[in-house]
Every structure is written in C-alpha cells, then in structure tokens.
Amino acid sequence: MDKAELEKLHADLLTAWNKQDATKMASFFTDNGVSIGFDGSQYNGKNKIEAEIGKIFEHHQTADYVWKVKEVRFLNSEVATLRAIVGMRPPGQKDINPAANAIQTITATKQNNVWKIELFQNTPAQFHGKPEKVEELTKELSAVSDK
C-alpha cells in the first residue's frame, strides 16, 4: 500500500505543476522540505517553495510533465525514496522536448500517517556524449505520454 501512496504523492506533485498550482505543490512538502529544480535553484521550506514556484507560474506558461516511476525504496517504515524519469511537453505541443528530460528523486517521510516530501530533486538527464541514451529515455517517456 505504501508504494502506491508514494507513487501518488509524486503524481500529485507533478499534476499540481501541470495545473500551475504552487499552493497545492507546496502542500506535499514538510514544513522544512527542500526543492532543487532543473536549473539548480534551491527552495528551502514549504513557504519558500510556494512563493518561488508561484513566481514561475506568474511569468511563464510552463511545459507539462510526463513521468514514469522507476523505483520506490523504503529505508524504514517512515522514510522512503522514489526515483522517476520525466519529460516535458511544451505548451501546445504533443512531443516531449528531449532537452528537458530529467531524473527526479524524492525523499519522503511519513508524518501522522501521511507521506510528505523532505527533498525533491530534479536532475537533467543529458547523458553527455551518449545521444542514444537521450533518445532511449525520450522514447520510453513518449510511450507513457501516448497512453
């Protein structure tokens, strides 16, 4: 059951991004949670995450995430990690932009029987010198996107 809860936490986070809802996104973090963005931006604390993501949404029509969870690992009954691959579809487009492919990692803790994000990291999946890996990841994400 917890594996499904963690996958839902990740899906809910990215769905909130796709809906440009910074308040909802921040609600999935602990009070002291940390978000590290694709460009290396670091937001410390739920309130800062909401404020800074809100500014992004105010000024940009963001691309939508497409994702596939690759692993959920429990460190103990109240701490887990989730690893996923993600791609982004630019506004008004059907195809994923391979330059925005990433690997996402969440470290979550269970608080009052609810999973919350302690750390979210979004790392570019550029695979320097290995264009076939970029193509492979994009193809895998496109299969999810087409469903």
Side-chain angles (χ1 to χ4, degrees):
M1 184 66 171
D2 279 338
K3 181 178 183 227
E5 289 173 21
L6 285 155
E7 289 177 354
K8 183 178 183 322
L9 175 65
H10 180 252
D12 288 348
L13 178 73
L14 298 190
T15 299
W17 171 275
N18 289 352
K19 292 180 178 179
Q20 292 197 318
D21 187 340
T23 301
K24 187 72 169 174
M25 279 188 73
S27 75
F28 299 116
F29 286 82
T30 63
D31 289 343
N32 296 316
V34 176
S35 178
I36 303 172
F38 188 85
D39 67 350
S41 299
Q42 295 182 51
Y43 308 131
N44 300 315
K46 182 190 291 193
N47 294 335
K48 186 74 168 176
I49 292 166
E50 180 178 352
E52 295 302 320
I53 298 295
K55 288 178 191 174
I56 292 169
F57 293 156
E58 273 180 42
H59 300 290
H60 301 348
Q61 176 60 43
T62 55
D64 283 348
Y65 276 114
V66 173
W67 64 90
K68 181 177 182 180
V69 173
K70 299 297 276 187
E71 175 186 44
V72 174
R73 184 182 300 176
F74 292 91
L75 306 178
N76 64 43
S77 62
E78 295 181 347
V79 179
T81 61
L82 176 144
R83 186 176 47 84
I85 57 173
V86 300
M88 299 194 92
R89 276 192 309 249
Q93 295 187 23
K94 184 179 183 256
D95 293 333
I96 292 169
N97 173 9
N101 289 349
I103 309 298
Q104 292 183 338
T105 305
I106 288 177
T107 301
T109 57
K110 200 170 196 178
Q111 300 179 345
N112 298 319
N113 219 27
V114 176
W115 287 100
K116 292 284 189 174
I117 301 169
E118 289 285 351
L119 174 66
F120 170 73
Q121 182 154 355
N122 194 33
T123 304
Q126 296 177 348
F127 303 108
H128 298 290
K130 299 176 186 169
E132 70 281 358
K133 292 283 188 188
V134 174
E135 187 176 321
E136 182 182 307
L137 185 63
T138 302
K139 187 174 181 179
E140 185 174 358
L141 288 164
S142 292
V144 174
S145 175
D146 293 340
K147 289 184 180 179

